[in-house]
Amino acid sequence: MIQGKVTGRVWSSKHIETMPGGALLQVTIEGGGTLIAFDPLGCAIGETVLITQGSVAAAFFTKIKAPVDALIIGSIDET
Amino acid sequence: MIQGKVTGRVWSSKHIETMPGGALLQVTIEGGGTLIAFDPLGCAIGETVLITQGSVAAAFFTKIKAPVDALIIGSIDET
Amino acid sequence: MIQGKVTGRVWSSKHIETMPGGALLQVTIEGGGTLIAFDPLGCAIGETVLITQGSVAAAFFTKIKAPVDALIIGSIDET
Amino acid sequence: MIQGKVTGRVWSSKHIETMPGGALLQVTIEGGGTLIAFDPLGCAIGETVLITQGSVAAAFFTKIKAPVDALIIGSIDET
Amino acid sequence: MIQGKVTGRVWSSKHIETMPGGALLQVTIEGGGTLIAFDPLGCAIGETVLITQGSVAAAFFTKIKAPVDALIIGSIDET
């Protein structure tokens, strides 16, 4: 998994039918780079999150075949 | 997913049989790099799009086994 | 596989339900970059480990469908 | 998919049994980097090609389980 | 696939149960970076090899579910 910080949210009104409803968050990855990840947890901007990618991310969706290849699976506890 | 801007279109007359008909768009990724993504949405040059990759992209095609590992799944709303 | 050194541990109290119980270790990859990998072996900070990624990592979990795309599969013997 | 230019060909006399017969082309990727891709189309050196990767590439082979994670799926038309 | 040169071997006495017996070689990739790949061919240090990655690498193992995401599939002939 990779760790990153939520830096924004994007909206996509024009999308393919299988796109799941829910938040698409912009996450800046530790070390550089930006991803757009699906957020099933209700994370806020500034939160540090854990992201899983690829077919492992898509497998989270069991009722639909979602085109999601980046999924927030947890929020990192501040220490 | 990754976010990028559509910068062109490519054509491939000589291709394998399972290549789906439709637009192949050149997308410049935020942060660097270029991908060629299949576009089921009719996006235009200059549009900012959301791309899913790998087997998750190929799973969009349910009737054929398409050799597509990069798929435009939405257009990002301008804010 | 990639090789890296365990540099820390993270905790995630807020996570999706399918997250397996167990240690999430921060691993600095040889050559640069950092991953968070699931550790089924009880590795310690400073240990050099071998990591497998993607759906191959998730396939380790046979009873649950774990959202794990980075798994420590071994500790490299010091020579 | 990624776009690249064919820059050479490699041969591998010593290989695993499931390696399919056919050309293995060296392709320089636009933006940097080099891949070795399986070519079912008979491409020539200097040709600009479209490559799909990962399990999507392997799925092209339906009769054998080929260890191919990079496949030329088309040649880009010159414009 | 990617091409690289075998630069060493690693041993892992402490590993998960599904790790297959056999050589784990350190391979320096053309262009930079290092991988640890499973070697079913008995390659030597200094040999130039072809590596397949991800679930395609794991699919080589048909009797066990091996946690291998990098596999040497051939040795490149010297020309």
Side-chain angles (χ1 to χ4, degrees):
Chain A
M1 286 74 70
I2 52 174
Q3 188 175 320
K5 195 178 276 288
V6 179
T7 47
R9 181 169 176 180
V10 300
W11 277 267
S12 172
S13 303
K14 171 181 163 186
H15 56 71
I16 64 174
E17 285 193 8
T18 49
M19 175 92 92
L24 294 169
L25 300 187
Q26 193 175 42
V27 181
T28 301
I29 303 308
E30 209 181 63
T34 302
L35 284 181
I36 307 294
F38 186 85
D39 173 25
L41 291 169
C43 294
I45 290 183
E47 221 167 317
T48 301
V49 294
L50 202 56
I51 293 176
T52 201
Q53 291 178 274
S55 61
V56 179
F60 170 73
F61 300 89
T62 52
K63 291 180 184 162
I64 55 167
K65 196 169 66 174
V68 168
D69 70 352
L71 177 77
I72 294 176
I73 60 169
S75 175
I76 302 291
D77 297 356
E78 290 184 41
T79 50
Chain B
M1 287 73 71
I2 53 175
Q3 189 176 319
K5 195 179 277 286
V6 178
T7 47
R9 181 170 177 178
V10 300
W11 277 265
S12 172
S13 304
K14 171 180 163 186
H15 56 72
I16 64 174
E17 284 192 9
T18 50
M19 175 91 91
L24 294 169
L25 300 187
Q26 193 175 41
V27 181
T28 301
I29 303 308
E30 208 183 63
T34 302
L35 285 180
I36 308 294
F38 185 85
D39 173 25
L41 291 169
C43 294
I45 289 183
E47 222 167 317
T48 302
V49 295
L50 202 56
I51 293 175
T52 202
Q53 291 178 273
S55 61
V56 179
F60 170 73
F61 300 91
T62 51
K63 293 180 184 162
I64 55 167
K65 196 169 67 173
V68 168
D69 70 352
L71 177 77
I72 294 176
I73 61 169
S75 175
I76 303 291
D77 298 356
E78 291 185 40
T79 52
Chain C
M1 287 72 71
I2 52 176
Q3 188 176 321
K5 195 178 278 285
V6 179
T7 48
R9 181 170 177 180
V10 300
W11 278 265
S12 172
S13 304
K14 171 181 162 186
H15 56 72
I16 63 174
E17 283 192 9
T18 49
M19 175 91 92
L24 293 169
L25 300 188
Q26 193 175 42
V27 181
T28 300
I29 303 308
E30 207 182 63
T34 303
L35 284 181
I36 307 294
F38 186 86
D39 172 26
L41 291 169
C43 295
I45 289 183
E47 220 166 318
T48 301
V49 294
L50 202 57
I51 293 176
T52 201
Q53 290 178 273
S55 61
V56 179
F60 170 73
F61 300 90
T62 51
K63 292 180 184 161
I64 56 167
K65 195 169 66 174
V68 168
D69 71 352
L71 177 77
I72 294 176
I73 60 169
S75 175
I76 303 291
D77 297 357
E78 290 184 41
T79 51
Chain D
M1 287 73 73
I2 53 175
Q3 189 176 320
K5 196 178 277 286
V6 178
T7 47
R9 182 171 177 179
V10 300
W11 278 266
S12 171
S13 304
K14 170 181 164 186
H15 56 72
I16 63 175
E17 283 192 11
T18 50
M19 175 92 90
L24 293 169
L25 300 188
Q26 193 175 41
V27 181
T28 301
I29 303 308
E30 208 182 63
T34 302
L35 284 180
I36 307 295
F38 186 86
D39 173 25
L41 291 169
C43 294
I45 290 183
E47 221 167 318
T48 301
V49 294
L50 202 56
I51 293 176
T52 201
Q53 291 177 274
S55 61
V56 179
F60 170 73
F61 300 90
T62 51
K63 292 181 184 160
I64 56 167
K65 196 169 66 173
V68 168
D69 71 352
L71 177 77
I72 294 175
I73 61 169
S75 175
I76 303 291
D77 297 356
E78 291 185 40
T79 51
Chain E
M1 286 72 72
I2 52 176
Q3 189 176 318
K5 195 179 277 287
V6 179
T7 47
R9 182 171 177 180
V10 300
W11 277 265
S12 172
S13 304
K14 170 180 163 186
H15 56 72
I16 64 174
E17 284 192 9
T18 50
M19 176 91 91
L24 294 169
L25 300 187
Q26 193 175 42
V27 181
T28 301
I29 304 308
E30 207 183 64
T34 302
L35 285 180
I36 308 295
F38 185 86
D39 173 25
L41 291 169
C43 295
I45 289 183
E47 221 167 317
T48 301
V49 294
L50 202 56
I51 294 176
T52 201
Q53 291 178 274
S55 60
V56 180
F60 170 73
F61 300 90
T62 52
K63 292 180 184 162
I64 56 167
K65 196 168 67 173
V68 168
D69 71 352
L71 178 77
I72 294 175
I73 61 169
S75 175
I76 303 290
D77 297 357
E78 289 184 42
T79 52

